[in-house]
Amino acid sequence: MRIAICDDNRREREEVINAIRNWDPTRSAECFSDGASLLTAAKKSPGFDIAFLDIYMPDENGVDIAEQLLQISPQTGIVFVTTSLDHAVSAFSLHALHYLVKPVTTEGVVEAFRRLSRLQSKPRPMITLGSGRNSYTVYFDEIAYVQSDRHAK
Protein backbone atom coordinates (compact mmCIF):
# COMPACT_ATOMS: atom_id res chain seq x y z
CA MET A 1 0.00 0.00 0.00
CA ARG A 2 1.36 3.40 -0.98
CA ILE A 3 0.64 6.14 1.58
CA ALA A 4 1.39 9.87 1.20
CA ILE A 5 1.49 12.59 3.84
CA CYS A 6 1.68 16.21 2.69
CA ASP A 7 2.08 18.87 5.37
CA ASP A 8 4.45 21.83 5.54
CA ASN A 9 5.04 21.19 9.26
CA ARG A 10 7.50 18.36 10.01
CA ARG A 11 6.10 17.79 13.50
CA GLU A 12 2.58 17.37 12.14
CA ARG A 13 3.79 14.95 9.44
CA GLU A 14 5.37 12.90 12.23
CA GLU A 15 2.09 13.01 14.15
CA VAL A 16 0.32 11.34 11.22
CA ILE A 17 3.15 8.80 10.85
CA ASN A 18 2.91 7.95 14.55
CA ALA A 19 -0.86 7.50 14.33
CA ILE A 20 -0.42 5.16 11.35
CA ARG A 21 2.30 3.17 13.17
CA ASN A 22 0.13 2.94 16.30
CA TRP A 23 -2.48 1.27 14.11
CA ASP A 24 -0.09 -0.86 12.06
CA PRO A 25 3.67 -0.75 12.75
CA THR A 26 4.42 -2.37 9.39
CA ARG A 27 3.05 0.57 7.40
CA SER A 28 5.30 3.31 6.06
CA ALA A 29 4.48 6.58 4.34
CA GLU A 30 6.11 8.93 1.88
CA CYS A 31 6.26 12.46 3.29
CA PHE A 32 6.11 15.74 1.40
CA SER A 33 6.37 19.31 2.62
CA ASP A 34 4.63 20.80 -0.42
CA GLY A 35 2.06 19.91 -3.04
CA ALA A 36 4.42 20.08 -6.03
CA SER A 37 6.66 17.28 -4.73
CA LEU A 38 3.60 15.17 -3.85
CA LEU A 39 2.16 15.61 -7.35
CA THR A 40 5.49 14.68 -8.95
CA ALA A 41 5.68 11.50 -6.86
CA ALA A 42 2.04 10.66 -7.66
CA LYS A 43 2.95 10.29 -11.32
CA LYS A 44 5.05 7.23 -10.48
CA SER A 45 3.35 3.87 -10.69
CA PRO A 46 1.62 2.58 -8.73
CA GLY A 47 -0.31 5.63 -7.56
CA PHE A 48 -0.97 6.43 -3.93
CA ASP A 49 -3.70 4.40 -2.27
CA ILE A 50 -4.30 7.11 0.30
CA ALA A 51 -3.05 10.67 0.82
CA PHE A 52 -3.23 12.70 4.03
CA LEU A 53 -3.26 16.37 2.99
CA ASP A 54 -2.93 19.50 5.10
CA ILE A 55 -5.22 22.23 3.81
CA TYR A 56 -3.34 25.31 5.03
CA MET A 57 0.20 25.45 3.63
CA PRO A 58 2.23 28.47 2.52
CA ASP A 59 1.11 29.55 -0.97
CA GLU A 60 -0.90 26.32 -1.34
CA ASN A 61 -4.32 24.98 -0.53
CA GLY A 62 -4.72 21.27 0.14
CA VAL A 63 -8.12 21.21 -1.56
CA ASP A 64 -6.52 22.46 -4.80
CA ILE A 65 -3.72 19.91 -4.43
CA ALA A 66 -6.31 17.15 -3.94
CA GLU A 67 -8.08 18.16 -7.17
CA GLN A 68 -4.80 17.91 -9.08
CA LEU A 69 -3.88 14.64 -7.37
CA LEU A 70 -7.21 13.09 -8.34
CA GLN A 71 -6.61 14.07 -11.98
CA ILE A 72 -3.32 12.15 -11.85
CA SER A 73 -4.58 9.26 -9.74
CA PRO A 74 -8.41 9.08 -9.49
CA GLN A 75 -8.27 6.02 -7.22
CA THR A 76 -6.34 7.77 -4.43
CA GLY A 77 -8.32 8.11 -1.21
CA ILE A 78 -8.05 11.67 0.12
CA VAL A 79 -7.94 12.46 3.84
CA PHE A 80 -7.75 16.10 4.82
CA VAL A 81 -5.84 16.90 7.99
CA THR A 82 -6.31 20.47 9.16
CA THR A 83 -6.94 22.85 12.04
CA SER A 84 -10.30 24.12 10.80
CA LEU A 85 -13.70 22.91 9.65
CA ASP A 86 -13.88 25.74 7.08
CA HIS A 87 -13.21 23.49 4.09
CA ALA A 88 -15.25 20.43 5.06
CA VAL A 89 -17.88 21.01 2.37
CA SER A 90 -15.21 21.44 -0.32
CA ALA A 91 -13.49 18.31 0.92
CA PHE A 92 -16.54 16.15 0.63
CA SER A 93 -17.40 17.53 -2.79
CA LEU A 94 -14.14 15.80 -3.79
CA HIS A 95 -15.43 12.59 -2.15
CA ALA A 96 -12.79 12.74 0.56
CA LEU A 97 -12.56 9.64 2.72
CA HIS A 98 -12.22 11.64 5.91
CA TYR A 99 -11.66 15.11 7.34
CA LEU A 100 -9.44 15.01 10.43
CA VAL A 101 -9.04 18.00 12.69
CA LYS A 102 -5.58 18.28 14.26
CA PRO A 103 -4.19 16.87 16.43
CA VAL A 104 -4.44 13.59 14.53
CA THR A 105 -5.46 10.55 16.54
CA THR A 106 -4.91 6.88 15.87
CA GLU A 107 -8.69 6.43 15.91
CA GLY A 108 -9.11 8.97 13.11
CA VAL A 109 -6.43 7.28 11.01
CA VAL A 110 -7.98 3.85 11.61
CA GLU A 111 -11.35 5.18 10.44
CA ALA A 112 -9.76 6.63 7.30
CA PHE A 113 -8.23 3.25 6.43
CA ARG A 114 -11.51 1.49 7.23
CA ARG A 115 -13.29 3.78 4.76
CA LEU A 116 -10.57 3.16 2.16
CA SER A 117 -10.96 -0.58 2.61
CA ARG A 118 -14.72 -0.38 2.04
CA LEU A 119 -14.18 1.75 -1.06
CA GLN A 120 -11.59 -0.63 -2.49
CA SER A 121 -13.73 -3.70 -1.82
CA LYS A 122 -16.49 -2.47 -4.12
CA PRO A 123 -16.24 -4.16 -7.49
CA ARG A 124 -15.16 -1.79 -10.24
CA PRO A 125 -17.15 -2.07 -13.48
CA MET A 126 -14.93 -3.39 -16.25
CA ILE A 127 -14.86 -4.84 -19.72
CA THR A 128 -12.54 -7.43 -21.21
CA LEU A 129 -11.28 -6.58 -24.67
CA GLY A 130 -9.69 -8.97 -27.12
CA SER A 131 -6.95 -8.19 -29.58
CA GLY A 132 -5.70 -11.16 -31.56
CA ARG A 133 -4.93 -13.89 -29.03
CA ASN A 134 -4.56 -11.45 -26.14
CA SER A 135 -7.25 -10.13 -23.83
CA TYR A 136 -7.14 -7.01 -21.68
CA THR A 137 -9.21 -5.93 -18.71
CA VAL A 138 -10.13 -2.25 -18.79
CA TYR A 139 -11.94 -0.53 -15.93
CA PHE A 140 -14.68 1.88 -16.98
CA ASP A 141 -13.30 4.66 -14.77
CA GLU A 142 -10.00 4.46 -16.67
CA ILE A 143 -11.53 4.95 -20.12
CA ALA A 144 -11.02 8.46 -21.50
CA TYR A 145 -12.69 7.82 -24.87
CA VAL A 146 -13.55 5.02 -27.26
CA GLN A 147 -12.98 5.06 -30.99
CA SER A 148 -13.98 2.43 -33.54
CA ASP A 149 -11.75 1.71 -36.50
CA ARG A 150 -13.82 0.74 -39.55
CA HIS A 151 -16.34 -0.98 -37.26
CA ALA A 152 -14.08 -4.04 -37.10
CA LYS A 153 -14.83 -6.75 -34.58
Side-chain angles (χ1 to χ4, degrees):
M1 173 174 284
R2 195 165 175 217
I3 302 168
I5 301 170
C6 184
D7 195 312
D8 60 303
N9 185 305
R10 182 185 55 79
R11 186 177 49 77
E12 292 180 355
R13 287 191 305 267
E14 289 173 359
E15 204 173 81
V16 177
I17 290 169
N18 289 334
I20 291 170
R21 286 187 183 144
N22 285 340
W23 165 63
D24 184 346
T26 66
R27 303 283 179 180
S28 61
E30 296 174 52
C31 294
F32 306 92
S33 59
D34 60 82
S37 57
L38 168 70
L39 296 172
T40 298
K43 293 176 184 173
K44 297 177 185 172
S45 186
F48 291 109
D49 294 287
I50 190 167
F52 293 84
L53 302 175
D54 184 18
I55 290 182
Y56 297 110
M57 294 185 280
D59 304 318
E60 295 183 296
N61 179 310
V63 175
D64 295 336
I65 295 166
E67 288 174 353
Q68 294 172 57
L69 177 58
L70 291 172
Q71 288 176 359
I72 296 167
S73 178
Q75 303 307 317
T76 300
I78 303 294
V79 178
F80 289 104
V81 182
T82 189
T83 57
S84 166
L85 294 174
D86 292 345
H87 295 278
V89 173
S90 299
F92 285 102
S93 71
L94 292 172
H95 305 286
L97 290 175
H98 212 342
Y99 193 95
L100 302 175
V101 177
K102 295 176 182 179
V104 174
T105 64
T106 300
E107 293 78 20
V109 166
V110 168
E111 180 59 25
F113 280 99
R114 186 176 298 124
R115 292 177 185 189
L116 177 66
S117 176
R118 278 186 286 198
L119 183 68
Q120 290 178 335
S121 67
K122 292 180 182 177
R124 290 171 61 194
M126 64 179 180
I127 186 170
T128 302
L129 303 173
S131 176
R133 294 182 183 197
N134 298 317
S135 62
Y136 304 93
T137 300
V138 179
Y139 293 98
F140 289 171
D141 58 356
E142 294 176 349
I143 297 173
Y145 69 94
V146 176
Q147 179 178 344
S148 174
D149 183 29
R150 293 179 277 145
H151 305 288
K153 292 182 180 183

